[in-house]
Short mmCIF file of all heavy atoms in Angstrom, two decimals:
data_model
loop_
_atom_site.label_atom_id
_atom_site.label_comp_id
_atom_site.label_asym_id
_atom_site.label_seq_id
_atom_site.Cartn_x
_atom_site.Cartn_y
_atom_site.Cartn_z
N TRP J 163 114.24 165.59 104.77
CA TRP J 163 113.56 166.68 104.09
C TRP J 163 113.45 166.37 102.59
O TRP J 163 112.45 166.62 101.94
CB TRP J 163 114.20 167.94 104.30
CG TRP J 163 114.05 168.40 105.80
CD1 TRP J 163 115.00 168.40 106.72
CD2 TRP J 163 112.82 168.72 106.45
NE1 TRP J 163 114.46 168.77 107.95
CE2 TRP J 163 113.09 168.92 107.75
CE3 TRP J 163 111.49 168.74 105.96
CZ2 TRP J 163 112.13 169.25 108.70
CZ3 TRP J 163 110.45 169.06 106.86
CH2 TRP J 163 110.80 169.34 108.24
N SER J 164 114.58 165.75 101.98
CA SER J 164 114.47 165.55 100.65
C SER J 164 113.49 164.40 100.35
O SER J 164 112.91 164.34 99.24
CB SER J 164 115.88 165.14 100.12
OG SER J 164 116.13 163.75 100.44
N SER J 165 113.19 163.52 101.27
CA SER J 165 112.25 162.46 101.04
C SER J 165 110.83 162.95 100.90
O SER J 165 109.95 162.28 100.40
CB SER J 165 112.40 161.36 102.10
OG SER J 165 112.05 161.83 103.33
N LEU J 166 110.52 164.17 101.40
CA LEU J 166 109.20 164.71 101.25
C LEU J 166 108.83 164.84 99.79
O LEU J 166 107.61 164.72 99.37
CB LEU J 166 109.11 166.00 101.94
CG LEU J 166 109.13 166.00 103.45
CD1 LEU J 166 108.97 167.34 104.08
CD2 LEU J 166 108.00 165.06 103.92
N TRP J 167 109.82 165.08 98.96
CA TRP J 167 109.49 165.25 97.51
C TRP J 167 108.97 163.90 96.94
O TRP J 167 108.28 163.93 95.86
CB TRP J 167 110.91 165.53 96.72
CG TRP J 167 111.24 166.97 96.84
CD1 TRP J 167 112.29 167.40 97.58
CD2 TRP J 167 110.64 168.08 96.21
NE1 TRP J 167 112.39 168.79 97.46
CE2 TRP J 167 111.41 169.20 96.61
CE3 TRP J 167 109.63 168.29 95.35
CZ2 TRP J 167 111.07 170.46 96.19
CZ3 TRP J 167 109.25 169.50 94.90
CH2 TRP J 167 109.98 170.65 95.46
N VAL J 168 109.30 162.89 97.60
CA VAL J 168 108.92 161.60 97.05
C VAL J 168 107.43 161.28 97.27
O VAL J 168 106.82 160.51 96.48
CB VAL J 168 109.68 160.47 97.78
CG1 VAL J 168 109.22 159.10 97.46
CG2 VAL J 168 111.20 160.67 97.34
N LEU J 169 106.77 162.01 98.18
CA LEU J 169 105.42 161.64 98.55
C LEU J 169 104.44 161.70 97.35
O LEU J 169 103.64 160.77 97.09
CB LEU J 169 104.87 162.47 99.73
CG LEU J 169 105.52 162.10 101.01
CD1 LEU J 169 105.01 162.93 102.16
CD2 LEU J 169 105.38 160.67 101.37
N PRO J 170 104.41 162.81 96.58
CA PRO J 170 103.54 162.93 95.40
C PRO J 170 103.88 161.80 94.40
O PRO J 170 103.00 161.25 93.72
CB PRO J 170 103.73 164.31 94.81
CG PRO J 170 104.89 164.88 95.51
CD PRO J 170 105.04 164.09 96.82
N ILE J 171 105.19 161.48 94.23
CA ILE J 171 105.59 160.38 93.37
C ILE J 171 104.99 159.01 93.77
O ILE J 171 104.54 158.29 92.99
CB ILE J 171 107.10 160.37 93.24
CG1 ILE J 171 107.68 161.71 92.79
CG2 ILE J 171 107.54 159.24 92.25
CD1 ILE J 171 107.33 162.12 91.38
N ILE J 172 105.10 158.89 95.07
CA ILE J 172 104.52 157.55 95.68
C ILE J 172 103.02 157.49 95.31
O ILE J 172 102.52 156.45 94.94
CB ILE J 172 104.85 157.48 97.14
CG1 ILE J 172 106.23 157.15 97.35
CG2 ILE J 172 103.91 156.46 97.86
CD1 ILE J 172 106.61 157.03 98.83
N PHE J 173 102.32 158.64 95.47
CA PHE J 173 100.91 158.60 95.18
C PHE J 173 100.67 158.20 93.74
O PHE J 173 99.83 157.49 93.31
CB PHE J 173 100.30 159.94 95.48
CG PHE J 173 98.82 160.09 95.30
CD1 PHE J 173 98.00 159.28 96.14
CD2 PHE J 173 98.25 160.75 94.30
CE1 PHE J 173 96.65 159.39 96.00
CE2 PHE J 173 96.88 160.88 94.11
CZ PHE J 173 96.11 160.15 94.95
N LEU J 174 101.51 158.81 92.82
CA LEU J 174 101.45 158.54 91.33
C LEU J 174 101.68 157.06 91.06
O LEU J 174 101.01 156.39 90.27
CB LEU J 174 102.41 159.41 90.67
CG LEU J 174 102.38 159.38 89.11
CD1 LEU J 174 100.98 159.66 88.60
CD2 LEU J 174 103.35 160.34 88.51
N ILE J 175 102.71 156.44 91.76
CA ILE J 175 103.07 155.08 91.56
C ILE J 175 101.81 154.21 92.06
O ILE J 175 101.40 153.29 91.42
CB ILE J 175 104.29 154.72 92.41
CG1 ILE J 175 105.53 155.50 91.87
CG2 ILE J 175 104.57 153.18 92.28
CD1 ILE J 175 106.74 155.45 92.84
N GLY J 176 101.34 154.65 93.16
CA GLY J 176 100.13 153.95 93.69
C GLY J 176 99.00 153.97 92.72
O GLY J 176 98.36 152.92 92.46
N LEU J 177 98.73 155.07 92.12
CA LEU J 177 97.69 155.23 91.08
C LEU J 177 97.87 154.26 89.95
O LEU J 177 96.88 153.53 89.51
CB LEU J 177 97.50 156.63 90.58
CG LEU J 177 96.90 157.71 91.48
CD1 LEU J 177 96.95 159.03 90.78
CD2 LEU J 177 95.45 157.35 91.87
N ALA J 178 99.09 154.19 89.50
CA ALA J 178 99.48 153.39 88.32
C ALA J 178 99.17 151.88 88.58
O ALA J 178 98.49 151.22 87.87
CB ALA J 178 100.87 153.59 87.84
#
Side-chain angles (χ1 to χ4, degrees):
Chain J
W163 294 111
S164 76
S165 61
L166 288 181
W167 284 107
V168 169
L169 292 180
I171 302 294
I172 285 183
F173 185 68
L174 185 58
I175 299 168
L177 285 177

